[in-house]
Amino acid sequence: AQKVTQAQTEISVVEKEDVTLDCVYETRDTTYYLFWYKQPPSGELVFLIRRNSFDEQNEISGRYSWNFQKSTSSFNFTITASQVVDSAVYFCALSGYSNSGYALNFGKGTSLLVTP
Amino acid sequence: SQTIHQWPATLVQPVGSPLSLECTVEGTSNPNLYWYRQAAGRGLQLLFYSVGIGQISSEVPQNLSASRPQDRQFILSSKKLLLSDSGFYLCAWSVRGRAQPQHFGDGTRLSIL
């Protein structure tokens, strides 16, 4: 079975602080994919990144960075110099071929509040 | 560029009434299509996915059904709504293949009275 755990339910930071959102996953698949999505207050989910299980290189995109570590089954997301517009619920998700490969198994999300 | 449209944005329905939510995708062909439900507490659950016209796979048994009458149209239906059907329904599309990034519509907030 696949499982995604986002232990942080809510995080509150002051603007310009760095913040890391944790994601731990469980899967028996050797090939799998990990995703991060952002859900702003308006409700739509915005795709941020996909990583496959064979690529452990960290990725940076502007103020966003992702740290994938297979040894600890973690795929953490860091926002540098946070801004008010970063306030949203962030979801980590996992997809593997054992469950047809089409379903995204989402964690319960981490609600991030960035205050001025 | 690809866009996904989902309507209505909000819906209030009495228990026992029928339901029809529609989703269409523009700017791509042969997409995979998905229906998710997000209940209070934020977790998202995949309800149905489709890899082609008339091909529907159900992930969770329930009183909902889905249909794909056209390549880029995906419909979520129910003959009789239950109170437990309340939630935020999201349609998504992806390119063909497994584990592809899914791109979501704006969602429909469904309240059952």
Side-chain angles (χ1 to χ4, degrees):
Chain A
Q2 298 188 341
K3 185 178 178 183
V4 175
T5 302
Q6 295 180 256
Q8 304 150 309
T9 305
E10 294 179 355
I11 300 176
S12 182
V13 300
V14 177
E15 208 169 19
K16 297 183 184 176
E17 287 184 8
D18 298 348
V19 58
T20 295
L21 309 181
D22 297 333
C23 173
V24 174
Y25 62 92
E26 296 174 29
T27 181
R28 292 182 180 175
D29 292 329
T30 54
T31 301
Y32 54 89
Y33 294 81
L34 294 160
F35 303 78
W36 275 96
Y37 282 84
K38 174 182 179 180
Q39 187 176 37
S42 51
E44 79 280 14
L45 269 85
V46 178
F47 165 71
L48 296 178
I49 190 172
R50 180 184 78 157
R51 303 295 283 178
N52 73 56
S53 51
F54 297 107
D55 184 1
E56 286 193 72
Q57 254 189 328
N58 291 334
E59 179 143 348
I60 298 174
S61 176
R63 295 184 297 107
Y64 294 171
S65 62
W66 290 270
N67 183 359
F68 176 29
Q69 292 194 338
K70 284 181 78 169
S71 60
T72 56
S73 298
S74 65
F75 186 42
N76 296 338
F77 174 29
T78 297
I79 302 174
T80 303
S82 59
Q83 299 176 2
V84 172
V85 293
D86 296 327
S87 297
V89 180
Y90 291 86
F91 291 93
C92 182
L94 168 68
S95 182
Y97 289 11
S98 64
N99 68 336
S100 84
Y102 295 105
L104 287 179
N105 292 292
F106 285 86
K108 292 191 182 301
T110 296
S111 178
L112 173 65
L113 177 64
V114 182
T115 55
Chain B
S1 64
Q2 302 88 1
T3 56
I4 179 168
H5 302 282
Q6 191 180 338
W7 67 93
T10 59
L11 190 59
V12 180
Q13 292 284 93
V15 170
S17 63
L19 172 74
S20 181
L21 302 181
E22 191 163 341
C23 171
T24 59
V25 180
E26 295 177 359
T28 187
S29 297
N30 304 314
N32 287 351
L33 297 171
Y34 311 83
W35 277 111
Y36 285 84
R37 177 168 58 202
Q38 186 176 27
R42 304 196 299 261
L44 282 105
Q45 181 182 46
L46 178 65
L47 302 176
F48 302 95
Y49 69 88
S50 171
V51 299
I53 295 174
Q55 300 179 61
I56 309 294
S57 295
S58 173
E59 290 286 310
V60 181
Q62 59 223 312
N63 71 319
L64 298 171
S65 62
S67 61
R68 185 171 177 173
Q70 299 180 44
D71 181 45
R72 290 169 290 173
Q73 183 185 27
F74 205 24
I75 298 171
L76 183 69
S77 304
S78 174
K79 292 181 180 178
K80 278 188 175 183
L81 286 167
L82 307 173
L83 281 174
S84 57
D85 291 325
S86 291
F88 190 49
Y89 288 82
L90 289 150
C91 181
W93 74 273
S94 75
V95 298
R96 281 290 177 92
R98 291 186 165 94
Q100 296 294 328
Q102 296 177 18
H103 305 280
F104 288 79
D106 291 340
T108 295
R109 200 162 300 279
L110 175 64
S111 299
I112 310 299
L113 304 178

Short mmCIF file of all heavy atoms in Angstrom, two decimals, chain A residues 35-50 64 66 77 85 88-92 104 106, chain B residues 44 90 101-106:
data_model
loop_
_atom_site.label_atom_id
_atom_site.label_comp_id
_atom_site.label_asym_id
_atom_site.label_seq_id
_atom_site.Cartn_x
_atom_site.Cartn_y
_atom_site.Cartn_z
N PHE A 35 5.07 14.18 -6.04
CA PHE A 35 4.56 15.46 -6.53
C PHE A 35 4.35 16.41 -5.36
O PHE A 35 4.12 15.98 -4.22
CB PHE A 35 3.19 15.27 -7.21
CG PHE A 35 3.17 14.30 -8.35
CD1 PHE A 35 3.15 12.92 -8.13
CD2 PHE A 35 3.12 14.76 -9.65
CE1 PHE A 35 3.11 12.03 -9.19
CE2 PHE A 35 3.07 13.87 -10.72
CZ PHE A 35 3.07 12.51 -10.49
N TRP A 36 4.39 17.69 -5.68
CA TRP A 36 3.92 18.71 -4.75
C TRP A 36 2.92 19.59 -5.49
O TRP A 36 3.13 19.95 -6.66
CB TRP A 36 5.06 19.60 -4.23
CG TRP A 36 5.78 19.03 -3.04
CD1 TRP A 36 6.92 18.29 -3.03
CD2 TRP A 36 5.38 19.16 -1.68
NE1 TRP A 36 7.27 17.96 -1.74
CE2 TRP A 36 6.33 18.48 -0.89
CE3 TRP A 36 4.31 19.80 -1.03
CZ2 TRP A 36 6.26 18.41 0.50
CZ3 TRP A 36 4.24 19.74 0.35
CH2 TRP A 36 5.20 19.05 1.10
N TYR A 37 1.82 19.89 -4.77
CA TYR A 37 0.78 20.78 -5.28
C TYR A 37 0.53 21.88 -4.27
O TYR A 37 0.67 21.68 -3.06
CB TYR A 37 -0.53 20.02 -5.50
CG TYR A 37 -0.57 19.19 -6.77
CD1 TYR A 37 -0.03 17.90 -6.79
CD2 TYR A 37 -1.14 19.68 -7.92
CE1 TYR A 37 -0.06 17.14 -7.94
CE2 TYR A 37 -1.19 18.92 -9.09
CZ TYR A 37 -0.64 17.66 -9.08
OH TYR A 37 -0.67 16.90 -10.23
N LYS A 38 0.09 23.03 -4.79
CA LYS A 38 -0.29 24.17 -3.95
C LYS A 38 -1.78 24.42 -4.13
O LYS A 38 -2.28 24.43 -5.26
CB LYS A 38 0.50 25.41 -4.37
CG LYS A 38 0.09 26.70 -3.67
CD LYS A 38 0.91 27.87 -4.21
CE LYS A 38 0.52 29.18 -3.54
NZ LYS A 38 1.31 30.33 -4.06
N GLN A 39 -2.50 24.60 -3.03
CA GLN A 39 -3.92 24.94 -3.10
C GLN A 39 -4.15 26.28 -2.40
O GLN A 39 -4.28 26.34 -1.18
CB GLN A 39 -4.79 23.85 -2.47
CG GLN A 39 -6.29 24.09 -2.68
CD GLN A 39 -7.16 22.97 -2.14
OE1 GLN A 39 -6.85 22.39 -1.09
NE2 GLN A 39 -8.23 22.64 -2.84
N PRO A 40 -4.20 27.37 -3.16
CA PRO A 40 -4.46 28.68 -2.55
C PRO A 40 -5.91 28.75 -2.08
O PRO A 40 -6.70 27.86 -2.38
CB PRO A 40 -4.19 29.66 -3.71
CG PRO A 40 -4.35 28.85 -4.94
CD PRO A 40 -3.99 27.44 -4.60
N PRO A 41 -6.26 29.80 -1.35
CA PRO A 41 -7.63 29.92 -0.82
C PRO A 41 -8.72 29.82 -1.89
O PRO A 41 -9.84 29.43 -1.59
CB PRO A 41 -7.61 31.29 -0.16
CG PRO A 41 -6.19 31.50 0.23
CD PRO A 41 -5.37 30.86 -0.87
N SER A 42 -8.41 30.15 -3.11
CA SER A 42 -9.40 30.06 -4.19
C SER A 42 -9.79 28.62 -4.51
O SER A 42 -10.84 28.39 -5.12
CB SER A 42 -8.87 30.76 -5.45
OG SER A 42 -7.58 30.29 -5.75
N GLY A 43 -8.99 27.66 -4.12
CA GLY A 43 -9.40 26.26 -4.20
C GLY A 43 -8.75 25.39 -5.25
O GLY A 43 -8.66 24.18 -5.07
N GLU A 44 -8.29 25.95 -6.34
CA GLU A 44 -7.72 25.09 -7.38
C GLU A 44 -6.36 24.56 -6.95
O GLU A 44 -5.65 25.21 -6.22
CB GLU A 44 -7.62 25.83 -8.72
CG GLU A 44 -6.44 26.78 -8.86
CD GLU A 44 -6.66 28.11 -8.19
OE1 GLU A 44 -7.62 28.24 -7.39
OE2 GLU A 44 -5.86 29.03 -8.45
N LEU A 45 -6.02 23.38 -7.40
CA LEU A 45 -4.70 22.81 -7.10
C LEU A 45 -3.73 23.15 -8.21
O LEU A 45 -4.03 22.93 -9.39
CB LEU A 45 -4.78 21.29 -6.94
CG LEU A 45 -5.05 20.80 -5.52
CD1 LEU A 45 -6.54 20.81 -5.26
CD2 LEU A 45 -4.47 19.42 -5.29
N VAL A 46 -2.58 23.64 -7.84
CA VAL A 46 -1.57 24.04 -8.80
C VAL A 46 -0.39 23.09 -8.70
O VAL A 46 0.20 22.92 -7.62
CB VAL A 46 -1.11 25.49 -8.54
CG1 VAL A 46 -0.03 25.88 -9.52
CG2 VAL A 46 -2.29 26.45 -8.59
N PHE A 47 -0.04 22.47 -9.81
CA PHE A 47 1.08 21.54 -9.86
C PHE A 47 2.38 22.31 -9.71
O PHE A 47 2.61 23.33 -10.38
CB PHE A 47 1.05 20.78 -11.19
CG PHE A 47 2.31 20.06 -11.54
CD1 PHE A 47 2.67 18.92 -10.83
CD2 PHE A 47 3.13 20.50 -12.56
CE1 PHE A 47 3.83 18.24 -11.15
CE2 PHE A 47 4.29 19.83 -12.89
CZ PHE A 47 4.65 18.69 -12.18
N LEU A 48 3.26 21.82 -8.82
CA LEU A 48 4.55 22.48 -8.60
C LEU A 48 5.71 21.66 -9.16
O LEU A 48 6.58 22.20 -9.84
CB LEU A 48 4.77 22.73 -7.11
CG LEU A 48 3.80 23.68 -6.43
CD1 LEU A 48 4.11 23.78 -4.94
CD2 LEU A 48 3.83 25.05 -7.08
N ILE A 49 5.75 20.35 -8.85
CA ILE A 49 6.90 19.57 -9.25
C ILE A 49 6.57 18.08 -9.26
O ILE A 49 5.69 17.62 -8.53
CB ILE A 49 8.10 19.82 -8.32
CG1 ILE A 49 9.39 19.17 -8.88
CG2 ILE A 49 7.81 19.29 -6.91
CD1 ILE A 49 10.64 19.55 -8.12
N ARG A 50 7.25 17.33 -10.12
CA ARG A 50 7.21 15.87 -10.13
C ARG A 50 8.65 15.35 -10.13
O ARG A 50 9.48 15.86 -10.88
CB ARG A 50 6.50 15.33 -11.36
CG ARG A 50 6.45 13.80 -11.40
CD ARG A 50 5.84 13.27 -12.66
NE ARG A 50 6.76 13.31 -13.79
CZ ARG A 50 6.66 12.53 -14.86
NH1 ARG A 50 5.67 11.67 -14.95
NH2 ARG A 50 7.51 12.66 -15.84
N TYR A 64 11.71 28.32 -4.44
CA TYR A 64 11.30 26.97 -4.06
C TYR A 64 12.46 26.00 -4.25
O TYR A 64 13.18 26.08 -5.25
CB TYR A 64 10.14 26.49 -4.94
CG TYR A 64 8.83 27.23 -4.79
CD1 TYR A 64 7.78 26.98 -5.67
CD2 TYR A 64 8.62 28.16 -3.79
CE1 TYR A 64 6.57 27.62 -5.55
CE2 TYR A 64 7.41 28.82 -3.66
CZ TYR A 64 6.38 28.55 -4.55
OH TYR A 64 5.18 29.20 -4.43
N TRP A 66 13.44 21.60 -3.47
CA TRP A 66 12.95 20.30 -3.04
C TRP A 66 14.13 19.39 -2.74
O TRP A 66 15.11 19.34 -3.50
CB TRP A 66 12.08 19.67 -4.13
CG TRP A 66 10.78 20.38 -4.30
CD1 TRP A 66 9.61 20.12 -3.65
CD2 TRP A 66 10.52 21.48 -5.17
NE1 TRP A 66 8.63 20.99 -4.08
CE2 TRP A 66 9.17 21.83 -5.01
CE3 TRP A 66 11.30 22.20 -6.07
CZ2 TRP A 66 8.56 22.88 -5.70
CZ3 TRP A 66 10.71 23.24 -6.77
CH2 TRP A 66 9.37 23.57 -6.59
N PHE A 77 9.98 20.14 1.02
CA PHE A 77 9.80 21.33 0.19
C PHE A 77 10.15 22.56 1.02
O PHE A 77 9.59 22.75 2.11
CB PHE A 77 8.35 21.36 -0.29
CG PHE A 77 7.91 22.58 -1.03
CD1 PHE A 77 8.78 23.34 -1.79
CD2 PHE A 77 6.57 22.98 -0.99
CE1 PHE A 77 8.36 24.46 -2.48
CE2 PHE A 77 6.13 24.10 -1.68
CZ PHE A 77 7.01 24.84 -2.43
N VAL A 85 1.92 35.79 -0.45
CA VAL A 85 1.27 35.04 -1.53
C VAL A 85 1.55 33.54 -1.46
O VAL A 85 0.93 32.75 -2.16
CB VAL A 85 1.68 35.56 -2.92
CG1 VAL A 85 1.16 36.95 -3.14
CG2 VAL A 85 3.19 35.48 -3.11
N ALA A 88 -1.08 29.13 1.63
CA ALA A 88 -1.88 28.14 0.90
C ALA A 88 -1.77 26.82 1.65
O ALA A 88 -1.03 26.70 2.63
CB ALA A 88 -1.35 27.96 -0.53
N VAL A 89 -2.52 25.84 1.17
CA VAL A 89 -2.33 24.47 1.65
C VAL A 89 -1.46 23.76 0.62
O VAL A 89 -1.72 23.84 -0.59
CB VAL A 89 -3.67 23.73 1.81
CG1 VAL A 89 -3.43 22.31 2.31
CG2 VAL A 89 -4.58 24.48 2.77
N TYR A 90 -0.44 23.08 1.09
CA TYR A 90 0.49 22.39 0.20
C TYR A 90 0.34 20.89 0.39
O TYR A 90 0.34 20.38 1.51
CB TYR A 90 1.93 22.82 0.50
CG TYR A 90 2.20 24.25 0.09
CD1 TYR A 90 1.92 25.30 0.96
CD2 TYR A 90 2.71 24.55 -1.17
CE1 TYR A 90 2.14 26.61 0.58
CE2 TYR A 90 2.94 25.86 -1.56
CZ TYR A 90 2.65 26.88 -0.68
OH TYR A 90 2.86 28.18 -1.07
N PHE A 91 0.20 20.19 -0.74
CA PHE A 91 0.01 18.75 -0.72
C PHE A 91 1.20 18.05 -1.37
O PHE A 91 1.67 18.44 -2.44
CB PHE A 91 -1.25 18.36 -1.49
CG PHE A 91 -2.52 18.76 -0.84
CD1 PHE A 91 -3.13 19.97 -1.16
CD2 PHE A 91 -3.13 17.95 0.11
CE1 PHE A 91 -4.33 20.35 -0.55
CE2 PHE A 91 -4.31 18.32 0.72
CZ PHE A 91 -4.91 19.53 0.39
N CYS A 92 1.62 16.99 -0.71
CA CYS A 92 2.58 16.05 -1.28
C CYS A 92 1.78 14.85 -1.78
O CYS A 92 0.78 14.46 -1.15
CB CYS A 92 3.58 15.64 -0.19
SG CYS A 92 4.87 14.51 -0.73
N LEU A 104 -3.23 9.57 -7.81
CA LEU A 104 -2.30 10.30 -6.96
C LEU A 104 -2.76 10.09 -5.53
O LEU A 104 -3.90 10.41 -5.19
CB LEU A 104 -2.32 11.79 -7.29
CG LEU A 104 -1.66 12.23 -8.60
CD1 LEU A 104 -1.79 13.74 -8.75
CD2 LEU A 104 -0.20 11.81 -8.63
N PHE A 106 -2.61 11.42 -2.09
CA PHE A 106 -2.26 12.69 -1.46
C PHE A 106 -2.08 12.54 0.04
O PHE A 106 -2.77 11.76 0.69
CB PHE A 106 -3.36 13.73 -1.70
CG PHE A 106 -3.39 14.29 -3.08
CD1 PHE A 106 -4.08 13.65 -4.10
CD2 PHE A 106 -2.74 15.48 -3.37
CE1 PHE A 106 -4.11 14.18 -5.37
CE2 PHE A 106 -2.77 16.02 -4.64
CZ PHE A 106 -3.45 15.37 -5.65
N LEU B 44 -7.62 14.61 -0.37
CA LEU B 44 -8.19 14.40 -1.69
C LEU B 44 -8.28 12.92 -1.98
O LEU B 44 -7.34 12.18 -1.74
CB LEU B 44 -7.33 15.05 -2.77
CG LEU B 44 -7.47 16.54 -2.90
CD1 LEU B 44 -6.27 17.23 -2.32
CD2 LEU B 44 -7.60 16.93 -4.37
N LEU B 90 -13.19 18.06 -7.67
CA LEU B 90 -12.18 18.59 -8.58
C LEU B 90 -12.01 17.66 -9.77
O LEU B 90 -11.85 16.45 -9.60
CB LEU B 90 -10.85 18.74 -7.85
CG LEU B 90 -10.79 19.87 -6.82
CD1 LEU B 90 -9.83 19.52 -5.70
CD2 LEU B 90 -10.37 21.16 -7.49
N PRO B 101 1.87 14.41 -14.32
CA PRO B 101 1.31 15.52 -13.54
C PRO B 101 -0.13 15.77 -13.93
O PRO B 101 -0.47 15.77 -15.11
CB PRO B 101 2.21 16.70 -13.93
CG PRO B 101 3.47 16.08 -14.41
CD PRO B 101 3.07 14.78 -15.05
N GLN B 102 -0.97 15.94 -12.94
CA GLN B 102 -2.38 16.20 -13.18
C GLN B 102 -2.64 17.68 -12.97
O GLN B 102 -2.14 18.29 -12.02
CB GLN B 102 -3.23 15.33 -12.27
CG GLN B 102 -3.06 13.84 -12.58
CD GLN B 102 -3.82 12.94 -11.64
OE1 GLN B 102 -4.75 13.35 -10.96
NE2 GLN B 102 -3.44 11.67 -11.63
N HIS B 103 -3.48 18.23 -13.83
CA HIS B 103 -3.78 19.66 -13.79
C HIS B 103 -5.26 19.81 -13.50
O HIS B 103 -6.10 19.25 -14.20
CB HIS B 103 -3.40 20.30 -15.12
CG HIS B 103 -1.97 20.04 -15.50
ND1 HIS B 103 -0.93 20.77 -14.97
CD2 HIS B 103 -1.41 19.11 -16.31
CE1 HIS B 103 0.21 20.31 -15.45
NE2 HIS B 103 -0.05 19.29 -16.26
N PHE B 104 -5.55 20.59 -12.48
CA PHE B 104 -6.87 20.62 -11.91
C PHE B 104 -7.70 21.83 -12.34
O PHE B 104 -7.16 22.91 -12.61
CB PHE B 104 -6.76 20.63 -10.38
CG PHE B 104 -6.32 19.32 -9.80
CD1 PHE B 104 -4.98 18.95 -9.82
CD2 PHE B 104 -7.24 18.44 -9.23
CE1 PHE B 104 -4.56 17.74 -9.29
CE2 PHE B 104 -6.83 17.22 -8.70
CZ PHE B 104 -5.48 16.87 -8.74
N GLY B 105 -9.02 21.61 -12.38
CA GLY B 105 -9.96 22.69 -12.58
C GLY B 105 -10.17 23.46 -11.29
O GLY B 105 -9.55 23.16 -10.27
N ASP B 106 -11.06 24.44 -11.35
CA ASP B 106 -11.30 25.30 -10.19
C ASP B 106 -12.18 24.66 -9.13
O ASP B 106 -12.31 25.20 -8.03
CB ASP B 106 -11.94 26.62 -10.64
CG ASP B 106 -10.97 27.47 -11.43
OD1 ASP B 106 -9.75 27.25 -11.30
OD2 ASP B 106 -11.43 28.36 -12.17
#
